[in-house]
Amino acid sequence: MKTYHSLSKLSFLKKYSYKFLFIAFLGIHIPLLGLVFYALFATEISTSTFILITLGLTLGATALTLKILDSLLKPIILGKIALKNYVEQNIVPNLPHEYSDEVGEMLKNIQFTILRLDEINKEKEEVTELISHDLRTPIAQTLQIIGFLKENGERLQERQSNLDLLEEIASKQLKFLEDMLRILKTKQIEIGVKSFEALSAAALINEVIDNNKTALNQKGVKAINTLSESTMMYGHQIGLKQIFDILLSNAIKFSQESGEIYFKEKTSNQFLEITVEDSGVGFDESIEKVLFKKFVPGHLGTNGELSTGLGLYLAKRIVEKHNGLLEPFSDGKGKGASFKVSIPLEIQIDTSQ
């Protein structure tokens, strides 16, 4: 890498191919330059001496050129080894990222790809652990109830009670799996400035509320949209819906029956701020610190609703892709909670995407 690093400092060798051609050019002309100097300064030149000098300079220049060209291949070999080590041993490399030629870009792409693959693999393992953990208990309960029904199926009152419990367990697990699949599907959506559009904030929130009507009605909770019909927001339509769907779903989950959830708006410092506010169970500082982490064991809702441990993490990522901010607020347990989503009023280009 030393040769490649040294040549990369030369401004006229910006491309990797230029580096190769430069070394090849020097290798070809070193013998010629040697012969010119010998002819200029030597007093006598015999044919045999001339031939020997020519052969010596040619062989020496060829060997040196091949050695240098071989050293120029090291960054490519480094990328190959990094890929091989990751595939065979799951070793994440730390490839150089300061070079701007074709090989430098290749090393950056290899590093980025490996990091993404490693992240995906870890998430897959975490999802598997989460699903297996959250399914194990209800499946065990289901088997216990089935065993009880086999032995005591004649008792009609207890039979009906256990059937109702089975239905409740199955419904919760179905909802959990639906939420998990929905969230995992949304993680695959590419969100970038090119896909942003002007949207009616009030209409978007109304659609989110309509999508959650069943959950709202089951708890008797009201979702109240106070946004102005004229308020516009810029962003990825599906992504923004997912943000507020997650926040509303959480607010319903942790609200008491007959509670109220408000969507409020405010414009501040070139940002549209939309707050989802509930009067539910709230949270303290210890919970606030882990709210946006992946797969943190979720708390059960007020009616025992399960949590995927992914929702708020995903919502925060989508907000950040809009160059925005997602902030949680609560005065403590039992005092409700609010989540403020701040989205730029104008499209901002994030060069890191």
Side-chain angles (χ1 to χ4, degrees), residues 329-345:
F329 301 94
S330 179
D331 291 329
K333 289 185 177 180
K335 297 184 179 180
S338 62
F339 288 83
K340 183 171 71 176
V341 178
S342 302
I343 300 290
L345 290 171

Side-chain angles (χ1 to χ4, degrees), residues 245-260:
D245 184 79
I246 290 170
L247 295 179
L248 177 57
S249 178
N250 268 14
I252 296 170
K253 188 183 301 178
F254 296 109
S255 288
Q256 303 295 343
E257 293 187 2
S258 303
E260 293 181 341

